[in-house]
Amino acid sequence: MPLSSHRRLAVSATAIAALAAGVAPAAPAFAAPVAPAARTAPAAPAAPAVPSPDMEGVVAALNSAMANGAPGAMARFTGPEGTRSRTVGVQDRLSGARMDIHARFRIGSVSKTFSTVVLLQLVEEGRLELDAPVNRYLPGLLPDDRITVRHLLTHRSGLADYTDAMFNDTVPGFEAVRNRVFSYQELVDLSLSEPRTTKPGVAYKYSNANFVVVGMLIEKLTGRPVSDAYERRIVEPLKLSSTSYVHPDTRIKGLHVRGYLHPDAAGDPLVDSTEQTVSWAQSAGAVISTPADLNTFTSALMRGRLLSPAMLEAMTTVTPTDTANTRFYGLGLRRYDLSCGTRVYGHTGTVQGFYTYAFSTRDGRRSLSAMANTSNHGAANTALGGTLEAAFCGKKRAVAPSSRATSSPAANDFSPLPAERDLPERH
């Protein structure tokens, strides 16, 4: 119990009564008695009630993801009222095995938040500076000394996303790299072979190349593989027993979901994309996890268990990524502003065969992770995003017909916004 809590326990009987009414005493335990005028002051307004998750709405979003091409989907919500999980469909089309909330899957770009946490811990340890040029630590790697570490983490470096060309033809592109093992340098070279998208620091432009360089920084500064940094700095402290980074192994060990990639041509059969090296992504997207572990990770991050308050504040300082000012990006972290006013922090993830959402409120008290086992089908991704509104905002109130003409459309339109793209989408 914090020291301030101990002091509050020592206040007078009058102050204790005030505490029971939801009013914290302003003075510490050793202060003079509260003046009579203060005793009769009106109570402070109660904090707004946190809505209960609308699990029917969560299931509707999961079913919508299935209706848009996913063989199955699942979601897990944790909050003050406990944990609630829902699954629909199958995790294996061949065996018909039902989706299992305990099964592991590839989390795609949610890995970027793992990589960011590691790098920010190294900043806290004084091993690099956020606003220093990347070339200070990786001499000669990039053609522009103005590109800083912060530019990588905020997707403002201007480095082209090599996956746009790599997966322009979805299935042939994937099959060409399914079993290939890239070096970090090869991936950086693919990016540098294309024109830069913006001058450093000028504009947000999502690029997997940024987090390939982040992986290079981690390995240069620690002298160890990035897998070791994940394990020692995140997985072990948080006891994430089902989270791992197995690159370049192609397997997902134990109980796991099979992923299915949509081909470019409508009507062509789905491609089982479960086994792959994910070497084309590495520190940008090769982590494997479960809904429970992702809930633990995002909640612990927001509660300050992985970073200092100052560093977490830097990580959650965001700028808009859309014109509607509902989506933002900080340091390896997305923020979504939901219709009910709740702000959630986390990341989306796309890797062949899997879409993932992993988000938490800023206080870490509520978290949601959701997964659909398909990709290259943006409508399924968008539908899965509907789990956020249902989980964090609860049931939507009905709008009277007479008020619809004057109400703000954004206030009453709870359909999810189009999903942000982590990889090229054909459908």
Side-chain angles (χ1 to χ4, degrees):
M1 181 179 292
L3 180 58
S4 59
S5 298
H6 287 293
R7 288 174 176 167
R8 290 192 182 102
L9 290 176
V11 296
S12 66
T14 303
I16 292 173
L19 277 172
V23 182
F30 51 78
V34 179
R39 294 190 186 106
T40 58
V50 173
S52 295
D54 174 14
M55 298 311 294
E56 291 180 359
V58 169
V59 171
L62 299 179
N63 283 329
S64 181
M66 282 188 61
N68 283 285
M74 61 179 167
R76 184 179 189 271
F77 177 83
T78 61
E81 300 173 357
T83 298
R84 305 184 188 186
S85 302
R86 298 292 186 272
T87 63
V88 299
V90 299
Q91 65 185 29
D92 186 330
R93 297 177 72 227
L94 186 61
S95 70
R98 306 298 296 176
M99 186 64 71
D100 190 321
I101 198 68
H102 302 103
R104 305 172 78 212
F105 54 90
R106 301 191 185 278
I107 68 173
S109 289
V110 181
S111 307
K112 291 178 171 66
T113 306
F114 281 73
S115 297
T116 300
V117 167
V118 172
L119 200 67
L120 293 182
Q121 288 181 354
L122 294 172
V123 171
E124 290 182 321
E125 293 165 12
R127 299 166 81 170
L128 81 163
E129 298 175 9
L130 276 175
D131 294 308
V134 172
N135 283 345
R136 176 188 296 180
Y137 309 103
L138 299 168
L141 177 70
L142 303 180
D144 193 333
D145 285 337
R146 296 174 298 173
I147 298 175
T148 68
V149 176
R150 189 186 299 274
H151 291 151
L152 299 176
L153 297 177
T154 57
H155 292 291
R156 291 174 176 270
S157 69
L159 295 176
D161 194 342
Y162 56 86
T163 65
D164 289 343
M166 182 179 285
F167 302 125
N168 183 56
D169 295 317
T170 304
V171 174
F174 166 66
E175 294 295 359
V177 300
R178 181 198 280 263
N179 295 303
R180 184 169 172 182
V181 178
F182 290 92
S183 68
Y184 281 129
Q185 186 65 57
E186 286 177 308
L187 296 176
V188 172
D189 289 345
L190 288 174
S191 172
L192 296 180
S193 69
E194 301 179 25
R196 303 240 293 280
T197 58
T198 182
K199 292 181 180 179
V202 170
Y204 170 88
K205 184 67 175 176
Y206 191 91
S207 174
N208 286 284
N210 291 316
F211 279 80
V212 168
V213 180
V214 168
M216 296 179 77
L217 285 168
I218 291 170
E219 295 197 350
K220 176 67 178 291
L221 294 168
T222 64
R224 300 282 298 164
V226 72
S227 58
D228 181 73
Y230 292 149
E231 189 71 24
R232 291 193 304 107
R233 293 173 176 270
I234 300 175
V235 172
E236 289 181 356
L238 298 183
K239 296 180 172 57
L240 305 181
S241 59
S242 296
T243 299
S244 60
Y245 179 87
V246 299
H247 171 267
D249 193 348
T250 62
R251 297 167 297 166
I252 305 177
K253 296 178 180 178
L255 177 68
H256 63 274
V257 180
R258 301 202 70 83
Y260 298 94
L261 178 62
H262 273 79
D264 292 331
D268 281 359
L270 299 179
V271 173
D272 187 325
S273 52
T274 311
E275 278 80 35
Q276 58 168 306
T277 61
V278 200
S279 193
W280 60 266
Q282 301 188 49
S283 50
V287 174
I288 296 166
S289 193
T290 62
D293 276 8
L294 290 179
N295 287 153
T296 298
F297 171 64
T298 58
S299 179
L301 174 59
M302 290 297 105
R303 288 176 181 263
R305 291 184 58 191
L306 295 172
L307 298 171
S308 69
M311 195 57 68
L312 184 56
E313 179 67 22
M315 190 180 191
T316 55
T317 299
V318 297
T319 54
T321 62
D322 69 347
T323 57
N325 281 342
T326 60
R327 294 168 174 191
F328 305 81
Y329 209 89
L331 302 179
L333 196 71
R334 297 193 188 279
R335 189 186 92 192
Y336 286 172
D337 291 2
L338 305 179
S339 65
C340 57
T342 297
R343 294 174 172 178
V344 293
Y345 297 80
H347 217 289
T348 53
T350 303
V351 64
Q352 288 88 356
F354 303 91
Y355 287 131
T356 303
Y357 286 76
F359 285 82
S360 176
T361 50
R362 182 60 181 83
D363 60 8
R365 297 181 67 228
R366 294 182 288 157
S367 63
L368 174 91
S369 53
M371 186 281 304
N373 57 341
T374 195
S375 68
N376 193 39
H377 207 288
N381 195 5
T382 295
L384 186 67
T387 57
L388 295 174
E389 282 282 338
F392 291 108
C393 292
K395 289 187 179 296
K396 306 304 180 185
R397 62 179 178 83
V399 180
S402 60
S403 67
R404 286 189 176 140
T406 57
S407 296
S408 165
N412 299 310
D413 180 8
F414 302 116
S415 58
L417 293 170
E420 292 187 279
R421 215 181 63 150
D422 294 330
L423 281 182
E425 294 276 8
R426 186 56 55 92
H427 300 290

